[in-house]
Amino acid sequence: MKNKFIYFAVIAALGFASCEPEFETEVSDASYSSGEADFSSYVAIGNSLTAGFMDNTVSRGGQAYSYPNLLAKQFKVVGGGEFTQPSYADDVNNLGGLTLGGQVIRGTRLVIDYSVKLPENIAGTPTIEVSNLQAKAYNNMGVPGAKSFHLLAPGYGNLSGVQQQTANPYFVRHATTPNATVLGDAMIKKPTFFTNWIGSNDVLSYATSGGVGVDHNATGNMDPSTYGGSDITNAAAFKVVYEEIVNTLTSGGAKGVVCTIPSVTAIPLFTTVPYNPLTVVTVADGNQAAYEATINALNAQLYSRLKQVLTAFGAGNRINLLSTTSANPLLIKDETLQDLSAELTAALTPLLGADDAAEYGEAFGQARQTTAQDLVLLTTRPVIGTAPEDVPALINKYGITYPLEDNHILIPSEKKAIADATSAYNAAIKSAAATKGLAVADMNAIMNKLANGLRLDDGQIYTADYFTLAGSLNNYSTVLFSLDGVHPNPRGYAVLANEIIKVINSHYKAKLPIHEIGGFPGITILGSN
């Protein structure tokens, strides 16, 4: 048996080695087998990771590298059937994004403009119109943004609910009817084998919002219909929903793989920007004399005053003077701290006058500097140093002279809420799998490998590090994440597919071929945009 899978570059990339080259993977070993599994009708359910989301969108080219599609290619070697994915033929220029009624509601995919060496949206206007309904069930039922309970929700694909944010525009495009459910449409394909990787968004949306949502493990609220978009799903509610999904998927005798939830705070979105990003490079473009002058002025005009007053009220550890010789932390608002606004205002009034003192009190009543226990979101990086609205000039630089707000930082209590929820979800997933005799892909461990770096069979060490504050490109040809800092790039998805194949081979005594990782493209770099 010999199969040739040919993948083509998504876009031209001006000759950079990492930019989506054409490649092929030869499969010529006749000893492959399906083992105890039947891949004749493979169905994948999940969220953006299943849909092939990367660089902050689903695009025509990117979707081809979804891990279910890569799995299906290998399943076909041992009798797997047709595998279909929602059509993105209308993404004529491969820009990704979405429009609704001609208005852009999701931006184009991210690329790196080499002239600035930072991610930005590729130039152009999306051509994927949400209201062009396909009304068709597909084998890949991954829906970007979906949480566990969304898979069971009638109306999640109703066009009339998009603007009210009660429906998901990605599912709207292909839902078979306005009241269809994701799981119901998946069952139309009569799966003989499935992968189920749902649940990451039940906690990820809280993390990516900087923890501004509500933790319903703390509130005890088990009614997802009342949840906000950034809330953490109650773990008991998650367990009930997850068991219903698995019971439905296996109701016709299908076998499959369930995937655990990754430790979301380990991904580049949370690990790229350090807690102390204020350096001679970021503050003074590498000019040491200018840096020292700036730091000394900040200490004299702001930090020493704040520290003196806070110390008087027993909170002197919130603020320390900045260093001229080492990297410095950010100023943030920590809503868990005692609010000392009134005390600061009263103490500073003789020095600053009533109006300015009131401004300082309001700004710094719950302010502190970041520590190594905080996580700065990647999306916060462009905000640092910008000016908040209606704030006096002396304190109008976010993160430097004015505290970054809650949505820019994950503080320790928020990290704990995320970790606790993830642990509870994974316990529920493993319990459901054990009940049905399903294979478990430990995506928590696998995604950590993508984030921390791993050496693959080709000997190359792959990492997640190409975002740097200096704007340089480090190891851009050996990274596994896309430019949104959350989702893998094509090479990363191929790693995920291989890890799932290893689980299938072990659990179902199959002999499936794996993909050659080195031939898959990485990030997209353009000479100009």
Side-chain angles (χ1 to χ4, degrees):
M1 179 182 295
K2 182 176 182 179
N3 293 283
K4 177 183 288 186
F5 304 139
I6 301 178
Y7 301 79
F8 293 96
V10 179
I11 64 169
L14 303 182
F16 288 95
S18 68
C19 301
E20 303 172 318
E22 179 177 316
F23 68 95
E24 59 183 59
T25 298
E26 298 282 354
V27 177
S28 57
D29 192 331
S31 65
Y32 297 127
S33 73
S34 60
E36 299 171 351
D38 175 2
F39 302 114
S40 58
S41 181
Y42 164 48
V43 170
I45 65 170
N47 49 41
S48 53
L49 291 161
T50 298
F53 199 97
M54 64 183 76
D55 296 325
N56 215 29
T57 189
V58 179
S59 65
R60 176 169 51 83
Q63 185 201 39
Y65 297 101
S66 73
Y67 79 82
N69 198 42
L70 299 182
L71 288 178
K73 299 288 187 185
Q74 308 306 68
F75 293 166
K76 198 169 186 179
V77 175
V78 295
E82 179 188 20
F83 187 80
T84 58
Q85 303 196 94
S87 174
Y88 280 84
D90 52 349
D91 187 17
V92 293
N93 296 315
N94 193 35
L95 300 177
L98 290 174
T99 64
L100 178 63
Q103 300 298 312
V104 176
I105 60 171
R106 299 283 191 280
T108 58
R109 65 190 173 91
L110 298 174
V111 297
I112 282 187
D113 181 341
Y114 195 73
S115 64
V116 295
K117 301 181 179 65
L118 288 173
E120 60 186 37
N121 292 97
I122 191 170
T125 302
T127 56
I128 306 169
E129 170 58 38
V130 173
S131 62
N132 291 335
L133 307 182
Q134 299 171 27
K136 180 180 178 182
Y138 291 96
N139 293 81
N140 189 341
M141 292 297 295
V143 178
K147 300 186 178 186
S148 59
F149 51 85
H150 288 144
L151 303 192
L152 307 177
Y156 195 52
N158 191 329
L159 177 62
S160 65
V162 174
Q163 289 187 323
Q164 289 74 33
Q165 299 185 356
T166 59
N168 184 307
Y170 286 100
F171 184 45
V172 165
R173 296 182 69 241
H174 60 85
T176 55
T177 69
N179 284 323
T181 67
V182 176
L183 185 60
D185 278 2
M187 294 305 292
I188 290 175
K189 305 301 290 186
K190 295 181 169 55
T192 61
F193 194 87
F194 65 86
T195 53
N196 175 14
W197 193 4
I198 192 67
S200 297
N201 287 329
D202 291 72
V203 68
L204 176 64
S205 60
Y206 175 87
T208 57
S209 72
V212 299
V214 176
D215 176 12
H216 289 297
N217 291 305
T219 67
N221 182 358
M222 289 186 60
D223 182 3
S225 68
T226 65
Y227 291 178
S230 300
D231 292 356
I232 295 179
T233 303
N234 178 278
F238 178 91
K239 187 174 189 295
V240 171
V241 168
Y242 198 87
E243 289 176 349
E244 182 174 346
I245 293 171
V246 168
N247 288 339
T248 302
L249 287 169
T250 57
S251 59
K255 298 177 179 178
V257 179
V258 297
C259 302
T260 62
I261 307 305
S263 176
V264 297
T265 54
I267 59 180
L269 185 75
F270 302 101
T271 60
T272 299
V273 181
Y275 77 92
N276 55 351
L278 305 181
T279 67
V280 64
V281 173
T282 57
V283 174
D285 293 328
N287 185 322
Q288 182 64 31
Y291 181 63
E292 292 179 6
T294 300
I295 295 301
N296 288 333
L298 289 172
N299 282 336
Q301 297 171 14
L302 178 64
Y303 282 76
S304 61
R305 291 176 177 176
L306 291 175
K307 186 167 182 63
Q308 182 179 11
V309 176
L310 290 170
T311 298
F313 292 103
N317 59 345
R318 294 186 186 182
I319 303 289
N320 292 309
L321 297 185
L322 301 177
S323 170
T324 58
T325 58
S326 59
N328 287 294
L330 296 166
L331 275 176
I332 64 169
K333 178 181 179 180
D334 183 340
E335 67 273 18
T336 67
L337 297 177
Q338 179 187 358
D339 190 347
L340 297 176
S341 298
E343 289 83 351
L344 277 168
T345 299
L348 291 172
T349 295
L351 180 65
L352 302 176
D355 291 343
D356 283 352
E359 293 276 3
Y360 275 59
E362 181 179 356
F364 301 107
Q366 291 179 295
R368 66 170 173 84
Q369 288 168 307
T370 47
T371 74
Q373 304 307 309
D374 300 305
L375 293 176
V376 183
L377 274 63
L378 179 60
T379 50
T380 299
R381 181 169 60 183
V383 179
I384 297 171
T386 61
E389 294 183 1
D390 302 324
V391 171
L394 288 176
I395 55 172
N396 71 345
K397 293 186 182 301
Y398 267 129
I400 303 173
T401 60
Y402 193 86
L404 287 160
E405 291 151 351
D406 186 26
N407 60 315
H408 294 297
I409 306 290
L410 279 180
I411 60 177
S413 59
E414 295 166 341
K415 290 166 59 181
K416 184 178 186 305
I418 292 166
D420 289 348
T422 302
S423 178
Y425 298 163
N426 284 339
I429 291 170
K430 292 176 181 177
S431 173
T435 299
K436 298 294 183 179
L438 302 173
V440 178
D442 188 359
M443 305 311 284
N444 192 11
I446 294 168
M447 289 290 282
N448 277 337
K449 289 181 181 177
L450 264 65
N452 296 322
L454 71 162
R455 183 187 295 276
L456 296 181
D457 294 339
D458 60 6
Q460 178 64 56
I461 296 176
Y462 293 89
T463 74
D465 178 22
Y466 51 79
F467 305 94
T468 70
L469 278 176
S472 63
L473 297 175
N474 293 334
N475 304 316
Y476 63 85
S477 65
T478 58
V479 294
L480 297 171
F481 276 86
S482 71
L483 295 169
D484 57 36
V486 175
H487 303 87
N489 61 24
R491 186 178 296 131
Y493 277 118
V495 171
L496 297 184
N498 279 352
E499 294 298 325
I500 295 173
I501 286 172
K502 293 175 184 176
V503 170
I504 294 171
N505 284 345
S506 175
H507 191 84
Y508 293 109
K509 299 180 175 58
K511 293 182 180 178
L512 297 169
I514 63 173
H515 291 281
E516 296 176 7
I517 303 302
F520 283 78
I523 60 176
T524 300
I525 305 174
L526 302 178
S528 61
N529 183 28

